[in-house]
C-alpha cells in the first residue's frame, strides 16, 4: 500500500467494509421472505417437509443476520474517523435517515428474530408466523431507509444549502429522490436473485449427496423457480435504471459504456481496454449503434461522452469492467435458471430424477453468484459517482479526515484479513450445515402433519429451537 495517499486508502477502506457488509443484508432481506413462504406452506398443507426446510434455512438466516449487524457497526465509526466532512455538511439529512432505519426496522427485526428462533414452542403457530412476517418486513424496511440515503447521495433533492450545510426543505423529495425507485427495485431484485441461487445451490449440493427427499426438492424448486421468475424482471429494471442514470448521472453512464466523445449512433462496446491517458478504447469490439438504441430508443440517438465532464468523471476502467461483470453474471443466471426450470418443470414426473448431475453441479457453482453480480453492480454505481460523495454537493476529497495514510493502511490491513477469514468461515458453515443435516430433519418423509399448538410441539424434534 506504499505510495497510496490517505484519501485513496480511506476510500478503499470504506469500500472494503461496505463490500463485506452488503453481502449479508442482501441475503437476509429475501431469505426472510423465503422463510415466510416455507412457513405459510406448512400452515396451509400441514406437510412436515416445509417446516423442515424452514428449520434448516432459519439457521443460515440467523448466521447471516449476525454477520450483517456486526459488519455494519464498523461503517458507522468511519463516518467519524475517515469522513467527518460528510456528517458535517449533510448530517441533517443522513443522520435522521440512518436513525429511522434503526428505530423502525432494526429494532423490529431484532425483537421478532428471537421469536422466530426460540419461540415456536412458546407462542401459537399464528404468532410465530406473524413474527416471521415482521422480520421479513423489517429487513425490507431497513433496506428502504438505507437505499433512500444512498440514492439521495447520487441524485440529491429536497434540500437547500444554508451556511455550507444541507437543510431539508421536503422529506418526501429527499426520500423519493429521482433515482430511488429504480435503485430500490434493482436492489430488491438483486437480493431475491442472490437468495434464489443460494437456496438452489445448497439444495443441489445436498441432492448430489443423495439427499433427495421432499424438503431438499422443495428448496431446490423454490430457488430455481424464484431465480427464473426474477431474472427477466431484473434485466428490465436494469434497463430503466440505466435510462435514469443517463438523465441524472451522464458521466457515470459514459464510463459504463466506454463513450469518450459525445456522438450519435453509439456502438455497444462488448470488449475494450479503456485508456484514460489517450482517451480512447483499445482493442474495441462493439455492435454498431446498439448503445444508442437501448439508451435513446433510436439508432442515431445522441449520447453524451466523457469529454463533456473533464476532471469531473469517474475512473473509467473499473466502472467499465464492473458493469460488464454484472451484466455477464446476469446472462449466466438467466441461462442456468431457465435450463434448470425445464428439467424440474411441474408437468414432469419425479423431478428428483429429471435433474442431471452436471446441472446440479452448475447450480452448486452458482451458489454465491449473486454476490459476484451484487458487488460488481455496487462498484459500478459507487465508483461511478466519483469524484463526488454527494453528487454536485460534496466531493470525497472535501469530506475526508486528516488521519495520516500509515494509520489507515494499518487498520485496512486488519480489516481485510478479518473479512477474508469471516467470509471463508461463513461459506464453510453454510456447507457444513448442509452436510450435517440429521436424517430425522432431512424431510425424507412426506407424510402430512397437522398444524400443532405449543403444548403439542414440545414432543416434536427441533420444535423448541431453530
Amino acid at each position: 500500500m506504499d505510495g497510496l495517499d490517505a484519501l485513496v486508502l480511506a476510500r478503499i477502506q470504506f469500500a472494503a467494509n461496505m463490500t463485506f457488509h452488503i453481502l449479508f443484508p442482501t441475503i437476509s432481506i429475501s431469505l426472510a421472505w423465503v422463510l415466510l413462504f416455507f412457513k405459510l406452506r406448512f400452515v396451509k398443507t400441514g406437510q412436515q417437509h416445509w417446516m423442515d426446510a424452514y428449520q434448516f434455512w432459519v439457521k443460515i438466516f440467523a448466521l447471516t443476520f449476525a454477520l450483517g449487524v456486526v459488519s455494519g457497526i464498523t461503517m458507522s465509526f468511519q463516518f467519524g474517523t475517515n469522513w467527518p466532512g460528510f456528517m458535517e455538511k449533510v448530517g441533517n439529512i443522513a443522520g435522521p435517515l440512518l436513525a429511522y432505519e434503526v428505530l423502525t426496522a432494526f429494532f423490529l427485526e431484532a425483537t421478532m428474530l428471537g421469536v422466530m428462533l426460540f419461540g415456536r414452542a412458546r407462542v401459537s403457530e399464528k404468532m410465530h408466523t406473524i413474527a416471521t412476517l415482521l422480520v421479513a418486513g423489517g429487513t425490507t424496511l431497513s433496506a428502504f431507509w438505507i437505499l433512500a440515503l444512498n440514492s439521495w447521495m447520487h441524485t440529491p433533492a429536497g434540500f437547500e444549502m444554508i451556511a455550507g450545510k444541507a437543510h431539508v426543505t421536503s422529506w418526501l423529495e429527499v426520500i423519493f429522490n429521482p433515482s430511488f425507485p429504480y435503485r430500490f427495485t434493482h436492489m430488491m431484485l438483486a437480493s431475491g436473485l442472490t437468495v434464489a441461487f443460494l437456496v438452489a445451490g445448497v439444495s443441489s449440493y445436498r441432492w448430489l449427496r443423495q439427499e433427495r427427499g421432499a424438503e431438499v426438492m422443495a428448496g431446490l424448486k423454490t430457488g430455481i423457480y424464484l431465480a427464473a421468475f426474477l431474472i427477466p424482471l431484473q434485466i428490465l429494471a436494469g434497463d430503466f435504471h440505466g435510462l435514469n442514470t443517463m438523465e441524472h448521472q451522464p458521466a457515470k453512464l459514459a464510463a459504463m459504456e466506454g463513450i469518450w466523445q459525445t456522438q450519435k449512433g453509439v456502438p455497444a462496446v462488448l470488449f475494450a481496454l479503456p485508456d484514460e491517458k489517450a482517451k480512447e478504447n483499445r482493442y474495441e469490439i462493439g455492435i454498431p449503434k446498439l448503445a444508442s438504441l437501448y439508451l435513446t430508443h433510436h439508432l442515431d440517438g445522441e449520447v453524451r461522452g466523457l469529454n463533456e465532464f473533464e476532471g469531473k468523471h469517474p475512473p473509467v476502467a473499473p466502472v467499465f469492467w464492473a458493469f460488464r461483470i454484472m451484466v455477464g453474471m446476469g446472462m449466466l443466471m438467466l441461462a442456468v435458471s431457465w435450463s434448470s426450470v425445464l428439467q424440474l418443470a411441474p408437468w414432469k414426473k419425479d423431478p428428483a430424477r429429471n435433474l442431471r448431475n452436471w446441472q446440479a453441479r452448475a447450480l452448486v457453482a452458482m451458489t454465491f453468484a449473486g454476490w459476484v453480480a451484487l458487488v460488481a453492480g455496487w462498484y459500478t454505481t459507487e465508483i461511478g459517482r466519483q469524484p463526488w460523495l454527494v453528487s454536485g454537493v460534496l466531493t470525497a476529497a472535501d469530506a475526508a479526515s486528516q488521519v495520516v495514510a500509515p494509520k489507515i493502511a494499518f487498520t485496512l490491513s486488519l480489516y481485510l484479513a478479518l473479512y477474508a477469514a469471516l467470509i471463508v468461515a461463513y461459506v464453510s458453515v453454510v456447507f457444513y450445515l448442509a452436510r450435517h443435516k440429521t436424517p430425522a430433519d432431512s424431510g425424507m418423509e412426506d407424510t402430512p402433519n397437522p398444524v400443532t399448538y405449543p403444548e403439542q410441539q414440545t414432543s416434536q424434534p427441533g420444535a423448541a429451537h431453530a
Side-chain angles (χ1 to χ4, degrees), residues 245-256:
T245 301
M246 183 174 69
E247 179 181 356
H248 296 282
Q249 295 179 287
K252 179 196 293 186
L253 183 103
M256 289 163 56

Side-chain angles (χ1 to χ4, degrees), residues 158-177:
F159 73 104
E160 61 180 353
M161 299 301 295
I162 302 176
K165 300 181 186 296
H167 292 263
V168 175
T169 58
S170 169
W171 276 109
L172 282 177
E173 291 182 15
V174 167
I175 295 168
F176 297 99
N177 56 80

Side-chain angles (χ1 to χ4, degrees), residues 110-127:
T111 302
M112 291 297 107
L113 180 62
V115 179
M116 276 182 66
L117 294 176
F118 309 113
R120 186 164 176 252
R122 297 171 176 83
V123 300
S124 68
E125 198 70 52
K126 181 178 180 181
M127 187 63 237

